Amino acid sequence: MSKYITAYYSDEEDLLKGIGQIKADGLKIMDVLTPFPVHGLDKALSIPRSRLTRVAFWGGAVGATLGFGFQAWVFTIDYPLNIGGKPFFAVPSFMPVAFELTVLFSAFAMVIAFFLSNKLGPGAKPVIHDERATDDRFLVVVEVEENSPEERISQIEQALAKAGAEGITLKA
Amino acid sequence: MYTSPLREPLIRGNKNYKQVTDDILSPMAGKPSKYWYLGIILAGIAALFGGWATFRTVFYGIGEWGLNKTIGWGWGITNFVWWVGIGHAGTFISAILLLFRQKWRTSINRSAEAMTLIAVMCAGFFPLIHMGRLLLGFYIFPYPNTRALWVNFNSPLLWDVFAISTYFAVSLVFWYVGLIPDIGTVRDRAKTKIRKAIYGFLSFGWTGSAKHWSRHETISLILAGLAAPLVLSVHTIVSFDFATSVIPGWHTTIFPPYFVSGAIFSGFAMVLTLMIVTRKALNLEEYITINHIESMNKIIILTGSIVGIAYLTEFFIAWYSGVEFETYAFFNRAFGPYAWAYWIMMTCNVITPQLFWFRKLRRNVMFTFVISIFVNIGMWFERFVIVVTSLHRDFLPSSWTMYKPTLVEVGLYVGTLGLFFTLFLLFIRVFPVIAVAEVKGVLKSSGENQKLTGHE
Amino acid sequence: MENQKFIFPRKLASITLSMVGIGVLALVVSYFTGVGSERIAANLLLNSYYFLSLGLIGLFLVTVHTIAESGWHTSIQRVGEAMSAFIPVGGVLLLLLFVLGGMHLLYHWTHTDHLDAILLKKVAYLNTPFFYGRLLVYLVLWIGLAHFIRKNSLLLDQTGDLKFYRKFRMLSAVFVVVLAITSVTASWDWLMSIDAHWFSTLYGWYVFSSMLASGTAILILLVIALKQMGYMTHVNQEHIHDLGKYLFGFSIFWAYLWFSQYMLIWYANIPEETVYFYERHKHFSDVFYVNLILNFVVPFFALMTRNSKRGSLIMVPVALIIFIGHWVDLYQLIMPGVVGGENSGIGIPEIGITIGYVGLFLFVVFRSLTKAPLVPKHHPFYKESLEYHTQY
């Protein structure tokens, strides 16, 4: 178990400034919780660009191959049927379904990967540091070990106060 | 971020983040108003009428409808296409307008998308009921079976199956992914244990972590990129149902983009109809401002004009082609026995929306409401005109006939309207009607107070 | 720095002018080597139409962003305006081509003494006086609107008076409406009526989407070229990224319309419609596939990632490919009907005349760029344009 020290901000610009200060002080930020996506936060926390786009691409590639291949297999190998004098291998006819499956696979692969990588999903039990984090407060959470000495904690609290935090709480 | 002083604020009133949360979530707490009850009772009655019509259709068969051997498609497909069309606005708003960085979408995207999902459900009902045997609905999917048969991949009707189900699935996911942070907000403000548990479950454990937000933005963007061509493809494929045929008046190459444009046109009209009422009923006039209504009216005039050009193009090319049947089909539309339907369509879709060129009228709520209803009517008649007038003059004059809907068909249509409003009224009780987090995201650049203090 | 004006380097001017020289030379050579006057006329039509359309798309992009009140586009507005300077030149060249005998070579419906039953039905639309009448209406509207839009844009810049901004916006709306109608009818007149029996309702929009993709490619090339020469320093990666997204999106949109038109005609299989693609499959099958590869496959895969749209390394070659690709698209629209499978090809007339038009286009555009500051700094959205970031 560890303890969490949370600094509160009520404006995203103060938050960004504060984060810069906290990082300059050499503290390790565990997490930042915000009610909406704050621009510039990715950079401030050096979060790398998400690789979910690649999942989307490969999902789409699988969907396209499967969609087109399946139709082609059905109509040329498994059960060729003359329909309205169309050729068995009717490429233009296969396009709509192939396209739809591309989009379907791409979207679902990406969204599933999103939930898995964030460990989000039905029944997930998150640690809610403060309920105002989804309302109007911006939270910076710093983790400290359970048995850290008092001085260490107050040192961190002072650093956070120096970084413009409007409120600081300690939670086990 | 700097915005030009010429831009009107998108959020009126002196709002801070907390007020945004309170204003948008307050309609969900407390007891619904008596208008809400009245609405849901009326919608419920309409849905019951639909239930009766469904029973008649399933129990006695398609003979209950006014179709005959010349006109094999009547109100059923008209309603189907109409509902699918309406279902285009939501995903258009959240996908294409996101790609175009239109900030005004944040106030309307959530409910427009919910409307989309409901409209697609209503649409899907018609092909199913047209089978006459709802139980056999799964026949339309390709699955290995004892008959060793597959579905016909050459048929546009089958493409529809894939298009509509993909559209529904992807729109649902897109909507829900966007909704998760707001459900988190609802969870954290829930007063009772049960509410907390339900919304906690639905929120998928959302906390607002910076890393989650970062990925959330990435997938929202990619989903928008995927949904944008998807929106186009759905009505394109619906138009293929007609345009791949050789029926004069149906087989014309302009159908795909023209149907898409018409779909967005009717979808925005329905969004306007719903939003003008909703903003009033839920006191959200500071979030869905006259500026939003004006922007939507601009989309109405754009798509309406595209549809108008398409009508004229079709008409001209029908003559220019030199094909007697084409020429006749269009002449018959405008001056034949169904001319009344054609001119209703022309008036509501092409002529009245042109009044939105005047800024005064674009910014008049009552006028917009009336025009939005007109467009809904006009777009319904567009599909009716395309379906019925092209069919009722068959190649053999001995087969020429007219078509009249029966009470059962009317019942099915009214029933889906009832279903639509019932589900929408439930939606506004259960979920936030405006994307809370997204509105907060634009508050700094587009809120009224920020603009007044010269915030940059 | 802020108020920079483009100075047309002498070397560049002489390069563009010598390209024009090559074009004229190619024209003369083709004439005397006897490639056939149809083929020469077809090439002149192709290029006149192509570059006239690029001018119109330049203005279209300016006007459509103006009425959409888009902020980011303001910083590159001058480039689109400069492209529109070619509208009168292209229009006059087209008119000259028709007047100097092109009509008879290009359009067999002008051979009024042997019209068949179907063409006789179309005489009310396809006749020479009406054709010229429409052409003059298009040119007057386009040139006139282009002139007044540019004038108000410059007045806005000189005075900073929002009165001119409102006028600029109003004229832009008029131009968009006018172009929405005339671009369609013009493509019927000049291109679709080559195959006078054939018809397709989508044709006008298809051609427009083709020109839109190519016009965007040219805009990108011009912006990057100006940056290379040290101008337009206020244009950054974010603007290039947005233009790249356009190029990607418009290419997909073009492919969508191509597919819609082709698939519906293929599927319904009505002889009077399929004859069009039958001819193209039979004699122009290479061009048919090259068209799809250059205009859809290449941009789709090359511009898919974010990084490829943010720099010139991939954008420049792709934009060039798209520019060539839509030339090929026009080639397959025009050549089968005018020249036919046996006599057509890609040789001196095609390459030489195109080089000439490219030179002329660049000369006109660059000369127009020298006439106004590259930075529209009194535009009400200018500051927004500088400060924005593509958040994604």
Side-chain angles (χ1 to χ4, degrees):
Chain A
M1 269 305 283
S2 2
K3 288 178 180 170
Y4 303 106
I5 306 175
T6 311
Y8 290 76
Y9 294 88
S10 60
D11 189 277
E12 67 267 32
E13 280 156 51
D14 298 340
L15 170 80
L16 288 176
K17 268 180 230 151
I19 288 174
Q21 180 69 43
I22 293 167
K23 283 176 83 177
D25 283 345
L27 286 182
K28 201 171 166 290
I29 294 170
M30 190 190 88
D31 206 349
V32 175
L33 306 179
T34 60
F36 62 87
V38 174
H39 291 295
L41 194 57
D42 288 11
K43 219 177 234 169
L45 295 174
S46 26
I47 297 175
R49 287 196 75 77
S50 167
R51 282 167 305 171
L52 287 167
T53 49
R54 291 185 207 174
V55 179
F57 176 79
W58 289 112
V62 169
T65 318
L66 198 75
F68 191 85
F70 180 68
Q71 295 178 78
W73 173 75
V74 164
F75 271 10
T76 56
I77 296 164
D78 194 51
Y79 205 138
L81 262 180
N82 184 335
I83 295 156
K86 299 265 170 298
F88 294 137
F89 187 58
V91 178
S93 271
F94 298 161
M95 285 298 161
V97 172
F99 170 80
E100 298 301 333
L101 290 183
T102 308
V103 172
L104 188 70
F105 275 63
S106 179
F108 272 76
M110 184 177 61
V111 171
I112 290 167
F114 166 75
F115 284 134
L116 290 179
S117 64
N118 285 344
K119 300 197 175 58
L120 293 177
K125 291 266 175 294
V127 182
I128 294 172
H129 291 276
D130 193 300
E131 293 183 341
R132 286 178 299 172
T134 54
D135 184 1
D136 64 342
R137 285 292 185 275
F138 303 81
L139 272 58
V140 178
V141 186
V142 177
E143 195 179 12
V144 281
E145 276 165 36
E146 168 96 80
N147 44 14
S148 300
E150 279 296 313
E151 306 90 76
R152 174 72 187 143
I153 291 173
S154 61
Q155 195 190 350
I156 293 173
E157 284 178 345
Q158 270 164 19
L160 292 177
K162 202 178 89 189
E166 289 157 30
I168 296 163
T169 57
L170 175 69
K171 204 167 138 188
Chain B
M1 216 165 88
Y2 171 81
T3 52
S4 163
L6 278 193
R7 294 199 196 278
E8 260 179 82
L10 292 174
I11 299 130
R12 294 270 176 196
N14 205 20
K15 303 288 179 199
N16 59 32
Y17 295 132
K18 183 146 195 67
Q19 279 167 303
V20 172
T21 319
D22 290 346
D23 288 348
I24 298 173
L25 296 194
S26 66
M28 290 170 61
K31 286 230 154 36
S33 71
K34 59 177 188 286
Y35 293 109
W36 188 86
Y37 281 115
L38 185 69
I40 204 149
I41 286 169
L42 286 177
I45 291 171
L48 280 178
F49 186 25
W52 167 80
T54 310
F55 171 76
R56 299 281 302 190
T57 308
V58 175
F59 200 80
Y60 296 104
I62 294 295
E64 289 286 290
W65 296 7
L67 304 175
N68 50 52
K69 75 175 175 49
T70 308
I71 300 167
W73 275 0
W75 272 39
I77 191 115
T78 305
N79 297 334
F80 163 72
V81 181
W82 188 69
W83 277 121
V84 177
I86 287 172
H88 272 56
T91 308
F92 179 88
I93 290 172
S94 24
I96 297 182
L97 296 186
L98 175 85
L99 296 178
F100 279 104
R101 290 196 295 267
Q102 297 295 311
K103 286 183 194 155
W104 56 272
R105 79 171 205 294
T106 53
S107 294
I108 50 166
N109 60 355
R110 177 63 37 76
S111 36
E113 259 188 89
M115 183 208 78
T116 286
L117 293 169
I118 301 168
V120 175
M121 285 183 219
C122 293
F125 174 72
F126 285 99
L128 283 178
I129 192 90
H130 198 176
M131 292 177 200
R133 294 285 174 271
L134 289 173
L135 280 176
L136 302 184
F138 65 93
Y139 270 27
I140 57 179
F141 289 104
Y143 62 97
N145 55 56
T146 48
R147 291 153 285 141
L149 274 171
W150 297 107
V151 290
N152 178 8
F153 289 110
N154 270 319
S155 166
L157 297 177
L158 184 84
W159 305 343
D160 254 353
V161 172
F162 280 86
I164 307 274
S165 35
T166 301
Y167 184 59
F168 185 76
V170 173
S171 295
L172 183 68
V173 165
F174 195 9
W175 175 72
Y176 201 75
V177 166
L179 194 53
I180 282 175
D182 291 352
I183 297 178
T185 307
V186 178
R187 171 200 64 202
D188 289 346
R189 296 169 50 81
K191 297 280 184 321
T192 64
K193 264 224 161 83
I194 304 169
R195 274 178 87 90
K196 204 156 201 117
I198 293 172
Y199 285 106
F201 181 80
L202 293 176
S203 73
F204 284 17
W206 181 264
T207 54
S209 160
K211 192 149 197 173
H212 294 182
W213 273 125
S214 166
R215 291 189 183 128
H216 189 268
E217 280 201 278
T218 304
I219 72 159
S220 299
L221 181 76
I222 304 291
L223 277 176
L226 289 168
L230 183 64
V231 179
L232 265 70
S233 82
V234 174
H235 230 61
T236 295
I237 290 174
V238 169
S239 82
F240 287 167
D241 292 349
F242 303 100
T244 51
S245 72
V246 292
I247 309 283
W250 284 8
H251 175 69
T252 173
T253 49
I254 207 170
F255 257 31
Y258 143 52
F259 263 50
V260 170
S261 181
I264 294 163
F265 182 52
S266 67
F268 267 84
M270 190 56 104
V271 172
L272 276 169
T273 312
L274 287 178
M275 285 299 108
I276 286 174
V277 178
T278 308
R279 74 196 273 269
K280 188 93 194 153
L282 303 185
N283 291 320
L284 293 171
E285 279 133 322
E286 286 168 325
Y287 295 91
I288 303 166
T289 64
I290 197 75
N291 188 9
H292 291 87
I293 291 175
E294 191 187 4
S295 298
M296 285 193 265
N297 283 338
K298 284 179 183 168
I299 304 254
I300 292 264
I301 194 170
L302 169 73
T303 48
S305 304
I306 293 177
V307 167
I309 291 184
Y311 290 161
L312 298 179
T313 305
E314 271 190 320
F315 220 103
F316 173 77
I317 297 285
W319 169 80
Y320 176 88
S321 71
V323 180
E324 300 92 322
F325 311 108
E326 287 283 333
T327 317
Y328 175 74
F330 280 88
F331 184 81
N332 181 49
R333 261 186 203 177
F335 306 106
Y338 284 107
W340 55 275
Y342 181 84
W343 292 107
I344 291 177
M345 160 189 115
M346 272 303 206
T347 315
C348 295
N349 290 351
V350 183
I351 299 166
T352 50
Q354 297 299 323
L355 293 169
F356 280 146
W357 282 107
F358 300 102
R359 184 180 146 92
K360 264 233 164 63
L361 295 176
R362 276 205 302 267
R363 296 176 72 88
N364 182 323
V365 177
M366 211 43 227
F367 182 79
T368 304
F369 187 72
V370 172
I371 294 286
S372 77
I373 302 275
F374 271 31
V375 174
N376 285 322
I377 295 170
M379 284 307 291
W380 190 89
F381 272 101
E382 179 198 293
R383 279 63 176 253
F384 179 80
V385 164
I386 291 171
V387 172
V388 175
T389 63
S390 298
L391 287 177
H392 86 129
R393 289 293 175 256
D394 207 348
F395 292 101
L396 282 178
S398 58
S399 319
W400 288 10
T401 178
M402 296 292 282
Y403 161 79
K404 237 203 246 139
T406 60
L407 191 63
V408 172
E409 278 170 290
V410 177
L412 289 172
Y413 178 50
V414 174
T416 48
L417 281 172
L419 180 69
F420 178 77
F421 287 109
T422 309
L423 291 177
F424 190 78
L425 285 167
L426 290 176
F427 159 74
I428 61 175
R429 290 291 305 161
V430 177
F431 291 121
V433 277
I434 291 177
V436 185
E438 291 191 50
V439 167
K440 285 178 189 164
V442 300
L443 185 64
K444 272 281 163 77
S445 58
S446 305
E448 188 171 25
N449 47 342
Q450 309 292 343
K451 294 198 77 106
L452 285 177
T453 54
H455 190 101
E456 284 188 10
Chain C
M1 194 62 195
E2 269 282 297
N3 208 1
Q4 54 182 328
K5 268 195 180 184
F6 177 70
I7 296 159
F8 199 172
R10 185 150 290 168
K11 206 168 130 200
L12 189 63
S14 46
I15 290 174
T16 54
L17 286 178
S18 44
M19 283 167 87
V20 178
I22 293 173
V24 175
L25 193 69
L27 190 63
V28 175
V29 170
S30 331
Y31 184 75
F32 284 108
T33 50
V35 294
S37 19
E38 279 93 357
R39 189 166 159 189
I40 294 173
N43 273 301
L44 290 172
L45 173 70
L46 194 167
N47 286 301
S48 302
Y49 183 80
Y50 196 21
F51 290 93
L52 170 61
S53 300
L54 295 182
L56 287 169
I57 294 297
L59 191 58
F60 174 73
L61 289 172
V62 170
T63 50
V64 90
H65 284 102
T66 304
I67 54 175
E69 294 177 0
S70 103
W72 71 276
H73 178 264
T74 311
S75 62
I76 49 169
Q77 181 183 314
R78 287 283 179 262
V79 183
E81 284 175 12
M83 281 166 74
S84 75
F86 196 77
I87 298 173
V89 183
V92 168
L93 286 172
L94 199 63
L95 185 63
L96 280 178
L97 165 69
F98 291 145
V99 174
L100 301 175
M103 284 290 281
H104 189 78
L105 295 168
L106 293 165
Y107 306 112
H108 65 89
W109 54 261
T110 53
H111 308 184
T112 41
D113 35 351
H114 22 47
L115 289 182
D116 58 33
I118 293 172
L119 291 184
L120 278 173
K121 285 188 191 171
K122 305 189 183 190
V123 165
Y125 188 78
L126 294 182
N127 63 67
T128 312
F130 192 24
F131 180 91
Y132 277 117
R134 289 193 301 267
L135 187 141
L136 288 176
V137 170
Y138 306 150
L139 291 187
V140 166
L141 283 173
W142 294 343
I143 295 169
L145 282 166
H147 172 77
F148 287 111
I149 287 168
R150 170 82 167 172
K151 197 175 125 189
N152 279 292
S153 166
L154 294 186
L155 278 173
L156 170 67
D157 201 36
Q158 284 152 16
T159 61
D161 190 343
L162 285 183
K163 181 178 83 188
F164 296 113
Y165 170 67
R166 282 188 286 272
K167 237 172 146 185
F168 179 33
R169 199 172 54 178
M170 198 267 289
L171 284 169
S172 296
V174 174
F175 177 76
V176 170
V177 173
V178 165
L179 190 69
I181 297 162
T182 52
S183 70
V184 172
T185 50
S187 71
W188 295 341
D189 290 359
W190 302 336
L191 302 177
M192 196 165 86
S193 81
I194 292 172
D195 302 274
H197 292 91
W198 186 76
F199 56 92
S200 166
T201 40
L202 188 55
Y203 194 86
W205 292 356
Y206 169 75
V207 175
F208 185 78
S209 73
S210 178
M211 295 301 111
L212 185 59
S214 187
T216 310
I218 291 296
L219 185 69
I220 290 170
L221 290 173
L222 285 170
V223 169
I224 292 177
L226 285 169
K227 275 186 79 68
Q228 288 289 327
M229 288 188 253
Y231 298 97
M232 311 267 291
T233 41
H234 57 289
V235 173
N236 55 35
Q237 251 188 351
E238 314 292 338
H239 300 97
I240 304 281
H241 187 183
D242 272 354
L243 288 170
K245 285 191 257 182
Y246 270 170
L247 195 59
F248 182 67
F250 293 152
S251 294
I252 294 175
F253 184 66
W254 172 86
Y256 161 64
L257 293 185
W258 182 91
F259 176 75
S260 297
Q261 178 167 274
Y262 179 78
M263 201 280 284
L264 289 177
I265 289 174
W266 170 84
Y267 197 108
N269 206 9
I270 296 173
E272 60 258 35
E273 292 182 352
T274 42
V275 65
Y276 190 77
F277 287 114
Y278 180 76
E279 170 66 17
R280 278 153 184 79
H281 269 303
K282 201 170 161 202
H283 295 297
F284 293 85
S285 58
D286 300 345
V287 176
F288 184 83
Y289 293 107
V290 165
N291 185 18
L292 282 179
I293 291 167
L294 296 187
N295 293 329
F296 174 65
V297 180
V298 169
F300 181 73
F301 287 104
L303 296 180
M304 196 185 275
T305 65
R306 176 184 142 96
N307 287 344
S308 64
K309 294 191 282 275
R310 290 177 76 84
S312 50
L313 186 69
I314 293 179
M315 284 274 273
V316 170
V318 171
L320 275 172
I321 288 173
I322 287 174
F323 169 71
I324 296 167
H326 288 285
W327 184 92
V328 173
D329 192 16
L330 277 180
Y331 180 89
Q332 63 90 23
L333 291 177
I334 292 171
M335 294 299 168
V338 182
V339 189
E342 278 83 45
N343 302 323
S344 65
I346 295 200
I348 293 173
E350 282 75 20
I351 295 169
I353 293 175
T354 306
I355 289 175
Y357 271 87
V358 171
L360 186 62
F361 181 77
L362 290 179
F363 181 78
V364 172
V365 170
F366 280 128
R367 219 177 54 112
S368 166
L369 279 172
T370 60
K371 299 225 170 105
L374 289 172
V375 186
K377 70 166 189 248
H378 282 123
H379 193 289
F381 293 139
Y382 177 60
K383 194 168 171 214
E384 234 178 64
S385 178
L386 295 188
E387 292 202 2
Y388 99 103
H389 295 277
T390 34
Q391 289 146 12
Y392 1 85

